Amino acid sequence: MHKHLNKRIVWSLLILSALIGVLVVRLAWVQLVLKHRAVPGAAYTMAQMAEIQSERETVLDSGRGRLYDRSGRPLAGETVWTAAFFPQEETSAAGDSSKLKQLAAVLGVSYGELKSRISGLKEPLLWPLAGGRSPMALTSEQAEQVEALAVSGVRVLPYVRRYDEAATGRQWLGYLSELAPAAAKQSPTGLRVPLAGMDGLEKTLEPLLQGVGHTEVYVQVDARGNRLPGSPLKVKAPGNPYYPLSVYTTIDKKLQEGIEQLAVEAGVKEGAVVVLDSRSGDIEAMVSLPLYDPDRISPEGGEWNNRALQAAVPGSVFKIVTAAAALEAGVTSPEERFFCSGQFGRYHLSCPHGKEHGSLTLAQGFAVSCNTVFASLAERLSGAQLQAAALALGLGRDIGWQAADTLGQPVLRPLAGEQPGRIFSTLVPDDAGARVQTAIGQRDVTMTPLQAANLVVTLLHGGEVRAPRILQRVAFRNGQTLQELPAHLAPAAAGAVSRQTAQTLLSWMRLVVTEGTGSRLRTAHWPVAGKSGTAQTLVKGIPRNNQWFIGYGPADHPRYAVSVAVENVAPGSQHAATRLFGQIFDLLSGSSGA
């Protein structure tokens, strides 16, 4: 009997030893082999999942490249200070109520709201902006007050916000959107799906802006989500001295914001404003309306479309091209006299409201935008001559800056989506009626506000077409320049208009202000020159107008070329484009210290 008992004990020990051996082998297998394999249904290894489960983190910087204006002011990727709340230690009190009340006052919320948000906190919380999704940016005074309170589990930390949660007219900047799961490259330190540029510079420069990883702050917690006693805040960062990259644009942020405010106050619902440096052709401001919020994109609304790059019917602004074509072809002269009875007599054409201008020279006809004068010129010109003059002045084709084999891209086009506009929608017609309607900027003619401003720059450069530039330099994180992006020309294959023609047109644009349709601008702080336009359009079968005013200033030593397009307004409305043009130049005169 004892022998059987001993056998049972031996076999029991053997079986127990075998089970322990299997467990030991299993644990060794997990520790040495399986810990490096991904957990089913996740993108992380077992070792990483164990670490993640014991940490609670929040991202401070996505690592995406920054965009700056010409003076280094942030456009996308601004570092701000924000209040960060972390899980409390299990033995820690909820916090001194007196300090929390003071903290609530600093953050601009009630004590009750603060308590409800942080009570039982299990995940780090960056205090949110009221009604927004981004963390609240603290002023330097607020940041000092929060730190001075020394509330347990509360710190002031630097946070890189992409946008400032304000509606802007910077559609050229674009916006970000989540990648599809299949395309997302997930970071081994977090569960977040990365964002990618979906329009504007964010999309065009996506390969440069992607970055090499995010920066996060984290704390160690126990299984119940409480902060481990004595656990300090720790920061994980890529530590790469070259990334994220910094992209410097030609934009003047203060000017951009000032024009956005002027346009909104003027009640402009749809349209665009472009301001170019008349000497370089660089884009200093490009405002599109309606404004858009890059953090809240509505695919149906279309506010994110950049109207400064979209072609619209220009009306009498195109008379600059018609005058250039006529002067270049030698079919007229500035002193030629015409007679306007208010009705042209053909093609159902008349001057606005049938106004009779009487006897006037070509220069005077340009100043008062007489349809009779320009219809007469159109009958003398061929469609090919009108087309050639338009192309020579940078219309009917892409003129935005671009470069081949640059920054790793076969063709770098910062203003991707720019429309070329058109002069004729089909083959160049020989029909006089079609030429007449084209000559006054109607029928098939379209141009973008960017082209319109650049047309003025072209005249100021004696007929030399420059390519408007919005990017000027890309630098590494350490400040070292990766690549300069120099300005260049955008000549037409057919050649350019003569310097004499350009100078004549510039003098006539000044006449528009002193004696013609832009007379309300005579009181501007700077002497300015320009050309007005009103185009008849149809929107869903309803008659509407596009209002334009383009020009330059100061007239005696030009520094800026500006185009203003106010689209789809009711016929008979006050010419808002002319008024806004004057306000913009008053803003420019003040910002330039003149």
Side-chain angles (χ1 to χ4, degrees), residues 235-395:
V235 175
K236 291 180 182 178
N240 190 306
Y242 299 107
Y243 293 87
L245 296 177
S246 296
V247 179
Y248 293 87
T249 70
T250 62
I251 295 293
D252 182 327
K253 184 178 181 181
K254 288 186 176 179
L255 177 61
Q256 175 83 22
E257 292 174 343
I259 294 175
E260 289 171 2
Q261 182 177 351
L262 286 176
V264 170
E265 291 174 352
V268 179
K269 304 300 183 185
E270 300 176 54
V273 175
V274 177
V275 178
L276 301 182
D277 182 321
S278 63
R279 294 157 291 192
S280 65
D282 285 349
I283 301 170
E284 293 208 19
M286 182 185 286
V287 176
S288 179
L289 296 132
L291 304 182
Y292 87 123
D293 183 345
D295 281 321
R296 294 175 176 81
I297 293 298
S298 169
E300 303 82 18
E303 294 87 356
W304 50 271
N305 286 315
N306 188 354
R307 289 179 179 266
L309 302 180
Q310 294 181 339
V313 184
S316 293
V317 164
F318 191 78
K319 289 174 181 174
I320 295 174
V321 176
T322 305
L327 292 171
E328 291 289 285
V331 300
T332 187
S333 67
E335 298 78 23
E336 181 182 359
R337 301 200 71 85
F338 300 80
F339 183 81
C340 170
S341 65
Q343 301 292 329
F344 184 59
R346 294 183 294 280
Y347 320 119
H348 305 288
L349 184 68
S350 66
C351 283
H353 311 295
K355 182 177 181 179
E356 178 180 348
H357 292 115
S359 177
L360 69 177
T361 65
L362 176 55
Q364 292 170 330
F366 185 94
V368 299
S369 200
C370 177
N371 284 343
T372 295
V373 170
F374 285 87
S376 299
L377 295 180
E379 290 187 317
R380 305 175 191 176
L381 293 166
S382 68
Q385 287 172 319
L386 278 173
Q387 176 108 334
L391 293 173
L393 292 169
L395 305 181

Side-chain angles (χ1 to χ4, degrees), residues 346-347 349 378-379 429-440 443:
R346 294 183 294 280
Y347 320 119
L349 184 68
E379 290 187 317
D430 291 326
D431 178 71
R435 295 199 306 276
V436 165
Q437 289 295 321
T438 300
I440 62 172
R443 200 173 183 267

Side-chain angles (χ1 to χ4, degrees), residues 80-369:
V80 298
W81 293 100
T82 192
F85 294 76
F86 293 89
Q88 296 291 311
E89 297 178 11
E90 187 174 18
T91 57
S92 173
D96 181 80
S97 61
S98 175
K99 287 186 176 181
L100 287 180
K101 288 178 181 178
Q102 294 179 64
L103 179 58
V106 173
L107 297 178
V109 297
S110 67
Y111 173 64
E113 181 179 351
L114 177 62
K115 285 281 290 182
S116 66
R117 292 296 299 270
I118 67 175
S119 179
L121 193 66
K122 301 301 182 184
E123 299 283 344
L125 170 69
L126 300 181
W127 190 257
L129 185 69
R133 295 179 293 179
S134 295
M136 174 183 175
L138 301 176
T139 65
S140 57
E141 183 180 0
Q142 287 175 315
E144 291 174 1
Q145 290 174 340
V146 173
E147 283 288 280
L149 287 171
V151 177
S152 176
V154 181
R155 292 290 303 277
V156 173
L157 297 174
Y159 173 79
V160 179
R161 65 181 182 187
R162 196 64 189 171
Y163 313 114
D164 57 10
E165 291 221 347
T168 77
R170 307 176 208 166
Q171 282 81 346
W172 42 265
L173 193 60
Y175 61 94
L176 302 179
S177 181
E178 290 185 355
L179 289 172
K185 296 179 180 179
Q186 294 189 351
S187 164
T189 57
L191 298 172
R192 296 164 184 82
V193 177
L195 300 176
M198 301 303 291
D199 199 60
L201 294 179
E202 294 279 24
K203 181 178 181 180
T204 303
L205 304 176
E206 176 63 26
L208 300 172
L209 298 176
Q210 282 179 350
V212 293
H214 63 249
T215 298
E216 65 182 22
V217 59
Y218 68 96
V219 293
Q220 298 287 337
V221 297
D222 60 23
R224 291 179 295 277
N226 297 312
R227 185 174 168 184
L228 295 179
S231 171
L233 300 183
K234 296 181 180 180
V235 175
K236 291 180 182 178
N240 190 306
Y242 299 107
Y243 293 87
L245 296 177
S246 296
V247 179
Y248 293 87
T249 70
T250 62
I251 295 293
D252 182 327
K253 184 178 181 181
K254 288 186 176 179
L255 177 61
Q256 175 83 22
E257 292 174 343
I259 294 175
E260 289 171 2
Q261 182 177 351
L262 286 176
V264 170
E265 291 174 352
V268 179
K269 304 300 183 185
E270 300 176 54
V273 175
V274 177
V275 178
L276 301 182
D277 182 321
S278 63
R279 294 157 291 192
S280 65
D282 285 349
I283 301 170
E284 293 208 19
M286 182 185 286
V287 176
S288 179
L289 296 132
L291 304 182
Y292 87 123
D293 183 345
D295 281 321
R296 294 175 176 81
I297 293 298
S298 169
E300 303 82 18
E303 294 87 356
W304 50 271
N305 286 315
N306 188 354
R307 289 179 179 266
L309 302 180
Q310 294 181 339
V313 184
S316 293
V317 164
F318 191 78
K319 289 174 181 174
I320 295 174
V321 176
T322 305
L327 292 171
E328 291 289 285
V331 300
T332 187
S333 67
E335 298 78 23
E336 181 182 359
R337 301 200 71 85
F338 300 80
F339 183 81
C340 170
S341 65
Q343 301 292 329
F344 184 59
R346 294 183 294 280
Y347 320 119
H348 305 288
L349 184 68
S350 66
C351 283
H353 311 295
K355 182 177 181 179
E356 178 180 348
H357 292 115
S359 177
L360 69 177
T361 65
L362 176 55
Q364 292 170 330
F366 185 94
V368 299
S369 200

Side-chain angles (χ1 to χ4, degrees), residues 56-71:
R56 293 295 182 267
E57 78 286 337
T58 186
V59 173
L60 298 176
D61 181 0
S62 69
R64 191 170 180 82
R66 277 65 155 155
L67 288 158
Y68 298 95
D69 83 342
R70 64 193 304 133
S71 300

Side-chain angles (χ1 to χ4, degrees), residues 254-266 268 271-276 284-289 453 521 524-526 528 549-554 560-566 576-592:
K254 288 186 176 179
L255 177 61
Q256 175 83 22
E257 292 174 343
I259 294 175
E260 289 171 2
Q261 182 177 351
L262 286 176
V264 170
E265 291 174 352
V268 179
V273 175
V274 177
V275 178
L276 301 182
E284 293 208 19
M286 182 185 286
V287 176
S288 179
L289 296 132
L521 299 172
H525 295 167
W526 276 347
V528 296
F549 201 95
I550 71 173
Y552 64 93
Y560 301 98
V562 174
S563 70
V564 178
V566 180
T578 302
R579 181 170 180 269
L580 182 55
F581 179 92
Q583 292 174 326
I584 290 169
F585 264 101
D586 286 347
L587 176 67
L588 288 167
S589 67
S591 64
S592 300

Side-chain angles (χ1 to χ4, degrees), residues 276 281-283 399-401 415 450 454 466-470 488:
L276 301 182
D282 285 349
I283 301 170
I399 45 90
W401 185 98
L415 298 177
L450 176 64
N454 201 57
R466 309 191 75 80
R469 183 178 64 151
I470 197 170
H488 63 70

